[in-house]
PDB file of all heavy atoms in Angstrom:
ATOM      1  N   ASP C  64       9.320 -11.865  -7.395  1.00  0.00           N
ATOM      2  CA  ASP C  64       8.732 -11.593  -8.857  1.00  0.00           C
ATOM      3  C   ASP C  64       7.309 -10.841  -8.552  1.00  0.00           C
ATOM      4  O   ASP C  64       6.922 -10.173  -9.608  1.00  0.00           O
ATOM      5  CB  ASP C  64       8.630 -12.852  -9.580  1.00  0.00           C
ATOM      6  CG  ASP C  64       9.886 -13.470  -9.928  1.00  0.00           C
ATOM      7  OD1 ASP C  64      10.834 -12.769 -10.066  1.00  0.00           O
ATOM      8  OD2 ASP C  64       9.991 -14.716  -9.957  1.00  0.00           O
ATOM      9  N   ARG C  68       4.607  -6.244  -9.372  1.00  0.00           N
ATOM     10  CA  ARG C  68       3.093  -6.175  -9.529  1.00  0.00           C
ATOM     11  C   ARG C  68       2.419  -5.534  -8.519  1.00  0.00           C
ATOM     12  O   ARG C  68       1.552  -4.621  -8.728  1.00  0.00           O
ATOM     13  CB  ARG C  68       2.479  -7.652  -9.605  1.00  0.00           C
ATOM     14  CG  ARG C  68       2.932  -8.324 -10.987  1.00  0.00           C
ATOM     15  CD  ARG C  68       2.556  -9.900 -10.890  1.00  0.00           C
ATOM     16  NE  ARG C  68       1.122  -9.933 -10.723  1.00  0.00           N
ATOM     17  CZ  ARG C  68       0.391 -11.043 -10.361  1.00  0.00           C
ATOM     18  NH1 ARG C  68       1.098 -12.145 -10.212  1.00  0.00           N
ATOM     19  NH2 ARG C  68      -0.965 -11.031 -10.399  1.00  0.00           N
ATOM     20  N   SER C  75       3.032   3.318  -3.519  1.00  0.00           N
ATOM     21  CA  SER C  75       3.615   3.676  -2.231  1.00  0.00           C
ATOM     22  C   SER C  75       3.580   2.518  -1.097  1.00  0.00           C
ATOM     23  O   SER C  75       4.123   2.688  -0.025  1.00  0.00           O
ATOM     24  CB  SER C  75       2.597   4.759  -1.638  1.00  0.00           C
ATOM     25  OG  SER C  75       1.278   4.223  -1.431  1.00  0.00           O
ATOM     26  N   VAL C 186      37.805 -13.141   5.531  1.00  0.00           N
ATOM     27  CA  VAL C 186      38.675 -12.448   6.473  1.00  0.00           C
ATOM     28  C   VAL C 186      38.039 -11.254   7.088  1.00  0.00           C
ATOM     29  O   VAL C 186      37.967 -10.961   8.247  1.00  0.00           O
ATOM     30  CB  VAL C 186      40.085 -12.042   5.877  1.00  0.00           C
ATOM     31  CG1 VAL C 186      40.941 -11.293   6.782  1.00  0.00           C
ATOM     32  CG2 VAL C 186      40.830 -13.318   5.559  1.00  0.00           C
ATOM     33  N   ARG C 216      32.003 -20.295  15.463  1.00  0.00           N
ATOM     34  CA  ARG C 216      30.521 -20.127  15.140  1.00  0.00           C
ATOM     35  C   ARG C 216      30.086 -18.922  16.033  1.00  0.00           C
ATOM     36  O   ARG C 216      30.449 -18.882  17.191  1.00  0.00           O
ATOM     37  CB  ARG C 216      29.798 -21.348  15.382  1.00  0.00           C
ATOM     38  CG  ARG C 216      30.289 -22.561  14.660  1.00  0.00           C
ATOM     39  CD  ARG C 216      30.020 -22.681  13.310  1.00  0.00           C
ATOM     40  NE  ARG C 216      28.613 -22.490  12.823  1.00  0.00           N
ATOM     41  CZ  ARG C 216      28.287 -22.552  11.645  1.00  0.00           C
ATOM     42  NH1 ARG C 216      29.115 -22.784  10.659  1.00  0.00           N
ATOM     43  NH2 ARG C 216      26.941 -22.365  11.339  1.00  0.00           N
TER      44      ARG C 216
END
Side-chain angles (χ1 to χ4, degrees):
D64 298 328
R68 289 174 60 192
S75 63
V186 172
R216 308 285 304 184

